[in-house]
Amino acid sequence: RFELDENGSIITGTYQKGAVKGIAFWRVLTAPFRVFFSSDGLTIVMICLFLLVMSGVFNILDKTNGIKIFMKKLMAKFSTKKIAVVIIFVLMFMLFGSFFGMYEELVTLLPLVVVFMLSLGFDTMTGLGVCLMSACFGFSAAITNPFSVGLASEMSGVDILDGVWLRIIFFFIIFAIISVFLVIHIKRITKDPKKSLTYEMDKPKKSALLSEDTSLSDSDKKVFKVYAVFFAVQLVVLVLIATIRALSSLAIPILAVTFLLGGIVSGLLVCKMKGDVFKHLGNGMLSMFPAVALIAIASSVKLVMSESGIIDTIMNYVIVALDGQSKFVCILLIYFLILFLQIFIGSASAKIMLIIPIIMPICKALGISPSTVILTYCIADGFTDVIIPTNPILLISLSMMGVSYGKWVKWTWLVQIIIFVLTVLILLFAVTIGY
């Protein structure tokens, strides 16, 4: 076991063997329950409550057609400006993912987005890029994403806005890459429609789906105004958290409370049956319980490893092995470790609970800042969600649109390589400047 300083960080060079002799097997079995009463219990409870609140509010937003109406508003306003509307949609989907951690919720809008792209004369692949790819890349190029940056910051004991300047720059670089990629694709298929990988399957779709109505009724306009105010309030809260240092350490509780109250009030204003608001809230929370269970199990791994002395032993071996190595090599090893875990664990929250308690003390001992570790986690966690064949959201989305995995890889492999090279360069830059 290592000795700890007053901040709870390990003191390098203090590792002693034989300090712990394992734990009883029943403690291993009960760890997913005991973890809520451990030293990390309050943090885990707060994280779980936050996930439940976010899921419940997003379900209210979905069931009251909030996001769909936002999209219809954009469709009606920019339907004659084809390239502009594609770029605006990309930015909108990325912002929702980057700030609020919306990914799966946005992918439910995929059929509507594809319909709109077909009505503009584009193809199914454009719709997939605008919706699926943009939502995923926005989630990964996280600025304040509560499910990655927020949780990792909470677990690391740092403010959610520490190092935010580089994450903002990274976000706009990714936005530029997706926009250029899609514009090049659009110009290519506009010049020769047969170059589209979905040309044959899109011909009957276009004639059948062009009738999609993008006009807004009076009730739709009310919903748009209510939710516009709701998101405006959330952005104001984010700005206040960014500018008032005392609020930064309470970012997750503040966001949870404002989301919950704002979501309920907005739902009550737009729902005819007021009781449906709490029904939608409850159903949304229930859908998140499997993720909460997964977080408890992932957190229990750290608890068992800590109680039995395994975690300190692993950290000691890693620190000794990496001693004298460059920080860039260390960060790359962490990057590839998270990429490997991506194949088996899709949940960003579960991976954070599993890996951050292990890698963060190691990185601190090696002189690598929490901001660099969090940035590494975010870029390793998400981008491959739209290329790894084990990701259920990717497979469901492709099946929904009738696009084979082979066609998708053929269309996106180059942008994935570009993103990978870029992320390695970003990490090199972060380590070089002591980010």
Side-chain angles (χ1 to χ4, degrees), residues 21-66:
K21 297 182 179 179
I23 58 174
F25 187 61
W26 70 267
R27 294 180 69 82
V28 177
L29 295 178
T30 58
F33 304 98
R34 293 190 300 108
V35 73
F36 289 101
F37 305 96
S38 66
S39 58
D40 296 328
L42 181 60
T43 299
I44 296 169
V45 169
M46 187 167 62
I47 288 170
C48 290
L49 289 175
F50 178 73
L51 292 174
L52 293 173
V53 166
M54 295 291 281
S55 181
V57 172
F58 284 145
N59 195 51
I60 294 175
L61 193 66
D62 179 46
K63 297 302 182 183
T64 55
N65 293 323

Side-chain angles (χ1 to χ4, degrees), residues 41-267:
L42 181 60
T43 299
I44 296 169
V45 169
M46 187 167 62
I47 288 170
C48 290
L49 289 175
F50 178 73
L51 292 174
L52 293 173
V53 166
M54 295 291 281
S55 181
V57 172
F58 284 145
N59 195 51
I60 294 175
L61 193 66
D62 179 46
K63 297 302 182 183
T64 55
N65 293 323
I67 299 177
K68 187 177 291 186
I69 289 169
F70 263 86
M71 289 189 58
K72 281 190 174 184
K73 182 76 172 178
L74 288 172
M75 290 177 186
K77 190 173 182 63
F78 297 101
S79 59
T80 58
K81 302 173 183 177
K82 297 184 178 182
I83 299 297
V85 77
V86 168
I87 294 174
I88 290 171
F89 266 51
V90 169
L91 181 60
M92 181 184 73
F93 276 93
M94 285 192 65
L95 286 172
F96 275 117
S98 184
F99 279 107
F100 304 112
M102 296 178 71
Y103 175 32
E104 291 90 343
E105 298 85 359
L106 296 176
V107 173
T108 60
L109 300 171
L110 181 58
L112 183 62
V113 176
V114 170
V115 166
F116 185 52
M117 292 301 133
L118 290 173
S119 70
L120 293 177
F122 305 145
D123 62 352
T124 297
M125 303 306 284
T126 306
L128 283 164
V130 167
C131 182
L132 176 65
M133 184 184 290
S134 298
C136 175
F137 283 12
F139 187 97
S140 309
I143 296 175
T144 59
N145 181 348
F147 303 114
S148 57
V149 176
L151 297 189
S153 298
E154 186 71 28
M155 294 292 293
S156 307
V158 297
D159 291 339
I160 194 172
L161 295 171
D162 280 1
V164 71
W165 66 269
L166 184 55
R167 296 199 296 270
I168 292 174
I169 293 173
F170 181 59
F171 173 90
F172 282 105
I173 293 174
I174 297 299
F175 167 64
I177 290 174
I178 297 180
S179 299
V180 171
F181 172 71
L182 289 174
V183 169
I184 291 173
H185 170 72
I186 287 169
K187 290 185 175 180
R188 184 167 171 263
I189 63 171
T190 300
K191 185 176 181 180
D192 184 0
K194 291 184 178 180
K195 288 187 177 180
S196 169
L197 295 175
T198 56
Y199 173 70
E200 292 297 333
M201 62 177 281
D202 284 342
K203 284 196 296 185
K205 281 184 180 181
K206 287 182 179 181
S207 60
L209 297 175
L210 285 178
S211 60
E212 180 72 22
D213 182 18
T214 59
S215 61
L216 295 179
S217 64
D218 289 338
S219 61
D220 288 344
K221 291 177 181 177
K222 178 184 177 182
V223 172
F224 175 79
K225 290 178 181 178
V226 169
Y227 283 121
V229 172
F230 168 70
F231 282 113
V233 170
Q234 300 310 313
L235 289 176
V236 169
V237 171
L238 286 172
V239 171
L240 290 175
I241 291 173
T243 53
I244 302 175
R245 196 68 179 177
L247 298 179
S248 297
S249 59
L250 300 172
I252 288 183
I254 291 172
L255 286 173
V257 171
T258 56
F259 247 84
L260 180 61
L261 295 178
I264 292 174
V265 171
S266 299

Side-chain angles (χ1 to χ4, degrees), residues 279-299:
K279 179 181 177 181
H280 299 327
L281 179 69
N283 288 338
M285 288 182 170
L286 283 173
S287 69
M288 187 55 68
F289 270 103
V292 170
L294 193 59
I295 287 172
I297 294 171
S299 303

